[in-house]
Amino acid sequence: MAKKATKESPKTGGWLGTVERIGNKVPHPVLMFLYLIIGVILLSAILGLMGVSVTEQIAVPVPQEIMPDFYEDTTEPIRTLPTDPYDTEYEIQEQTIAIRSLLTTEGIRFIFTTFVSNFAGFGVVAVVFVAMMGAGVSEESGLMTALIHKLVEVSPRWALSFIIIFVGVLSSVATDAGYLILIPLGAAAFLSVKRHPLVGVAAAYGGVSAIFAINILITPLDAMLTEITNEAIALAGGEPITIVSNLYFQVVMSILLSIVAALITDRIVEPRMGAYVPAAGADLPDTEVTLDKAAQGRGMRYAGIGTLIIVAIVALLTIPSGSALRHPETGGIIGATPFMDSLLFIIMLIFLFAGIGYGYGAKTFKGSGDVIKAVTKTFASLAGLVFMLLMISQFIAYFNYSNMPSVIAVTLAGWLEQANIGAVPLLIGFIVVIMLLDIIIPGSMPKWAIFAPIFVPLFIRLGTAPQTVLAAYRIGDSPMNVITPLMVYLPFIITVMQRYQKESGIGTVIALMLPYTLIIAVAWIILFILWYVIGIPLGPGYPVGV
């Protein structure tokens, strides 16, 4: 279901255009990460010879005992895993972190022996294929086109940006689903109303990633961040916090920042991009519904039936007491539970069965062969992405092996701790340092594991509550996500953009997303300072001060 375009898109100017042109002169991402790998190897060797190291208290997962068991007819032990794999406990340990050279015997051995395992263990690859299986079937069946038209019909033009961004903010409850499903959907939705599809990509990406660390719902990330925070609180002898310690702050900021991001989209990004004029021969998704109303209506009914089947199965596995998707000990559904861990798979099943239902109802699928072709076509389109992910997985593995991210983070934390300034300036400095580190350590957990044991006790001594420090961390952890070249979904986003604009590259992404990073960061910090000065509770029973 595609249509051919006829003409090239006009170029953009201004300082963001300069950023885009310079950024797009960067080598192909595969080559860029190859050069980065070489740089990490050489730099690790130099710093290793210099004996660079740091010593700091860091939150680390508590080792869980694996109990050996034996069958009567064998002497080989059977390893029995812990009964509760869903809760991760942390403890504070003092560790000396030294730079590890990749040009030592051990380092060279690591490079040669882990090349396959680095890629095999890179979870993004599996996540992309699983998520795109359902999305691909839905797109090929025509369901995505029908859903986009429904969305456009019920949404005023001025509200489309906000809706896509806000859904992106909510998507963090399902971890990676927003990147893989909402970003392509945002592009197609904008194209369907004659707006630039790259603006739709930017809006969706901004909601999913630039406002990532907050939500109006409790997410698995909240559980993990709270656990690490409590271990850091114990160092100062304070009372632990709960998973709702930032709830009020998260709900209000989710709404306000979605409005800010929508204004950035409509007032800055879209005017810069101008009207979309596709390149000659571009193979674009067909956003024009060509089916008759009866076929479309029948397809939507069948899609609804497919969705209800999956929802009913999930409900049976979740709602009754002792169900398989409840927490095995507490019986909880929200938080670090099997249900939350299954959300991506559940969403994939919903899109898969809804797509199959729509295809059979609307007669766009004639048999099971059409469903299989839809999946294989989707997987085939990911070939270039997989090659890029191969190189990214190696870079991340070598970079982490060298310990350079941890050494940089601890060093910056030490400088900030010694600044000897008041609580509010220190909080702002803390946010800025987290933003800078987010360029090289995009993950939320690794940064907080390093910073929480340092700054939570420090701020408690200054009269600032740990929930306030956690709220500040959420600010620093989000806006830079959309411009860091180490974002694992960056190749996928570039692939989506190139579908509409062939010359899109890293520079295109940075130029599109830089306004979101700058304005959201400034707006969020200002709102945070106002929240702190006024003294509004961050959650039920959690004031900003100790």
Side-chain angles (χ1 to χ4, degrees):
M1 302 185 67
K3 59 184 179 183
K4 297 294 182 180
T6 58
K7 194 177 176 182
E8 187 63 44
S9 174
K11 300 293 182 182
T12 56
W15 70 276
L16 288 174
T18 302
V19 170
E20 179 176 358
R21 287 191 293 274
I22 294 174
N24 284 344
K25 292 184 183 297
V26 172
H28 189 282
V30 171
L31 291 176
M32 184 186 75
F33 279 98
L34 175 61
Y35 299 151
L36 287 173
I37 288 170
I38 295 171
V40 165
I41 292 173
L42 295 177
L43 186 57
S44 71
I46 295 171
L47 296 178
L49 287 174
M50 295 172 60
V52 175
S53 66
V54 293
T55 300
E56 195 52 79
Q57 290 181 317
I58 296 176
V60 297
V62 176
Q64 298 192 44
E65 184 179 4
I66 300 177
M67 302 297 295
D69 196 5
F70 294 85
Y71 286 118
E72 293 181 0
D73 58 348
T74 181
T75 58
E76 293 297 322
I78 304 298
R79 301 297 180 183
T80 303
L81 295 175
T83 56
D84 183 9
Y86 301 105
D87 283 336
T88 303
E89 296 183 356
Y90 291 81
E91 62 183 4
I92 304 299
Q93 292 183 0
E94 184 175 279
Q95 293 185 352
T96 297
I97 305 171
I99 297 293
R100 302 169 69 188
S101 171
L102 283 155
L103 289 181
T104 61
T105 301
E106 182 182 356
I108 293 171
R109 183 181 299 122
F110 177 83
I111 292 173
F112 276 81
T113 60
T114 64
F115 190 88
V116 174
S117 59
N118 291 340
F119 187 52
F122 196 44
V124 175
V125 180
V127 167
V128 167
F129 276 95
V130 169
M132 292 305 294
M133 180 166 64
V137 170
S138 291
E139 181 175 344
E140 288 299 311
S141 70
L143 175 61
M144 286 294 197
T145 299
L147 288 176
I148 290 167
H149 276 259
K150 291 293 183 183
L151 174 65
V152 171
E153 285 176 6
V154 301
S155 304
R157 182 182 174 87
W158 59 266
L160 184 60
S161 297
F162 173 80
I163 291 171
I164 289 176
I165 290 166
F166 190 61
V167 172
V169 173
L170 297 181
S171 72
S172 65
V173 74
T175 59
D176 303 303
Y179 291 98
L180 301 171
I181 296 173
L182 187 63
I183 289 175
L185 183 63
F190 269 62
L191 181 64
S192 71
V193 292
K194 313 303 181 186
R195 298 173 70 177
H196 204 299
L198 265 61
V199 178
V201 170
Y205 191 21
V208 171
S209 199
I211 319 175
F212 172 76
I214 56 175
N215 205 308
I216 65 173
L217 306 172
I218 300 299
T219 70
L221 178 64
D222 293 321
M224 293 183 284
L225 291 178
T226 300
E227 178 62 31
I228 292 178
T229 304
N230 286 336
E231 292 298 327
I233 292 172
L235 294 174
E239 292 293 324
I241 61 176
T242 68
I243 201 170
V244 297
S245 62
N246 284 169
L247 183 60
Y248 296 163
F249 181 75
Q250 290 195 69
V251 171
V252 174
M253 291 298 131
S254 295
I255 297 171
L256 292 181
L257 292 175
S258 294
I259 295 173
V260 170
L263 291 173
I264 296 169
T265 303
D266 295 341
R267 303 292 177 85
I268 298 176
V269 176
E270 188 165 25
R272 172 182 171 265
M273 295 302 294
Y276 178 60
V277 183
D283 188 17
L284 303 180
D286 189 356
T287 56
E288 304 296 332
V289 176
T290 56
L291 294 172
D292 60 63
K293 291 293 183 181
Q296 183 184 356
R298 188 169 58 250
M300 293 299 290
R301 287 195 298 272
Y302 279 48
I305 293 172
T307 301
L308 288 175
I309 290 173
I310 299 301
V311 170
I313 293 172
V314 172
L316 289 174
L317 295 174
T318 306
I319 295 175
S321 178
S323 299
L325 297 184
R326 284 181 174 268
H327 193 286
E329 290 187 358
T330 66
I333 297 175
I334 305 300
T337 66
F339 172 74
M340 299 301 289
D341 289 342
S342 306
L343 276 178
L344 182 62
F345 178 62
I346 293 170
I347 292 171
M348 182 276 291
L349 289 177
I350 290 173
F351 274 92
L352 179 65
F353 275 70
I356 293 173
Y358 186 92
Y360 279 102
K363 306 302 182 183
T364 54
F365 286 164
K366 306 302 182 183
S368 58
D370 290 331
V371 178
I372 295 172
K373 286 179 182 177
V375 175
T376 54
K377 179 181 177 181
T378 301
F379 285 0
S381 68
L382 300 174
L385 173 65
V386 171
F387 188 26
M388 284 189 276
L389 292 177
L390 171 65
M391 300 306 296
I392 292 173
S393 68
Q394 305 309 318
F395 169 76
I396 292 175
Y398 301 157
F399 195 37
N400 289 338
Y401 175 88
S402 72
N403 284 333
M404 281 192 282
S406 297
V407 170
I408 293 170
V410 172
T411 301
L412 289 175
W415 292 348
L416 195 56
E417 185 179 8
Q418 296 168 12
N420 194 27
I421 55 180
V424 172
L426 188 59
L427 280 168
I428 296 173
F430 172 71
I431 292 169
V432 172
V433 169
I434 296 297
M435 286 181 178
L436 294 175
L437 279 174
D438 199 45
I439 297 174
I440 61 171
I441 314 176
S444 299
M445 299 303 297
K447 291 194 301 294
W448 192 227
I450 294 170
F451 273 78
I454 300 169
F455 284 100
V456 170
L458 172 64
F459 277 106
I460 289 176
R461 291 195 296 271
L462 293 174
T464 301
Q467 57 267 21
T468 304
V469 187
L470 179 56
Y473 177 76
R474 294 179 190 274
I475 300 171
D477 183 55
S478 296
M480 297 293 285
N481 288 339
V482 294
I483 62 172
T484 172
L486 297 187
M487 164 57 68
V488 293
Y489 290 108
L490 180 61
F492 176 77
I493 293 162
I494 293 174
T495 300
V496 174
M497 287 183 169
Q498 289 175 343
R499 188 174 188 182
Y500 302 93
Q501 188 169 298
K502 291 294 184 183
E503 69 273 18
S504 297
I506 292 175
T508 309
V509 177
I510 294 176
L512 275 174
M513 304 312 300
L514 198 55
Y516 293 92
T517 294
L518 297 176
I519 297 173
I520 287 175
V522 172
W524 206 343
I525 290 173
I526 292 173
L527 290 169
F528 174 72
I529 293 172
L530 291 174
W531 194 292
Y532 182 86
V533 171
I534 296 171
I536 304 171
L538 293 162
Y542 289 97
V544 293
V546 174

